[in-house]
């Protein structure tokens, strides 16, 4: 089975959570904050990948995203991705896709946490 471009982008996005989770174990947090500089850079990477995924997914399905749906997905993914789904699919498919995106986010956060915990365990 070959992977199309949208699937590759999702794979890169998922792996970015794991890589950032591992790297976070080696970086000190920003002074007085709960996050590292890498977390801030990762937020920009997530935005860029979400925008790119929306564009690639639309092209793969033969759908031109209406208005600025893909742009909103890149600027503010938590709201923009569901907006993109509801503007490019029927409401049932959009709802299922949104639930899938929430699941994908949960898996990404778990991957980041597991990466950090495993790295800290092996370092000590």
């Amino acid at each position: 089975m070959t992977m199309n471009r949208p699937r590759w982008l999702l794979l890169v996005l998922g792996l970015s959570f794991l890589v950032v989770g591992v790297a976070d174990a080696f970086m000190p947090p920003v002074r007085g904050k709960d996050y590292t500089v890498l977390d801030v850079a990762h937020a920009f990477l997530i935005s860029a990948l979400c925008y790119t995924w929306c564009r690639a997914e639309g092209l793969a399905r033969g759908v031109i995203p209406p208005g600025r749906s893909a742009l909103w997905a890149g600027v503010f993914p938590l709201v923009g991705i569901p907006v993109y789904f509801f503007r490019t699919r029927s409401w049932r498919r959009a709802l299922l896709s949104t639930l899938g995106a929430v699941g994908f986010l949960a898996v990404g956060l778990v991957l980041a946490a597991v990466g950090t915990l495993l790295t800290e365990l092996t370092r000590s």
Side-chain angles (χ1 to χ4, degrees):
M1 179 172 97
T2 60
M3 290 181 61
N4 58 11
R5 187 166 185 235
R7 289 187 189 261
W8 276 110
L9 290 167
L10 287 178
L11 180 66
V12 169
L13 181 59
L15 289 176
S16 74
F17 279 94
L18 181 63
V19 169
V20 168
V22 169
D24 269 349
F26 295 102
M27 299 188 74
V30 175
R31 180 188 295 175
K33 303 294 182 190
D34 218 12
Y35 52 84
T36 66
V37 173
L38 187 59
D39 294 328
V40 175
H42 189 231
F44 286 106
L45 177 65
I46 290 169
S47 293
L49 287 172
C50 285
Y51 171 78
T52 306
W53 177 82
C54 285
R55 300 290 297 176
E57 193 269 342
L59 289 173
R61 288 189 318 120
V63 175
I64 298 172
R68 306 266 186 253
S69 296
L71 182 63
W72 278 110
V75 172
F76 193 60
L78 291 176
V79 173
I81 296 289
V83 167
Y84 170 77
F85 288 149
F86 279 96
R87 293 188 80 189
T88 61
R89 293 167 169 75
S90 68
W91 70 273
R92 285 184 180 164
R93 298 236 348 135
L95 185 60
L96 288 174
S97 297
T98 299
L99 292 174
V102 169
F104 185 84
L105 175 62
V107 169
L109 295 174
V110 167
L111 281 173
V114 166
T116 301
L117 289 174
L118 288 178
T119 304
E120 288 178 355
L121 287 173
T122 56
R123 286 180 55 193
S124 59

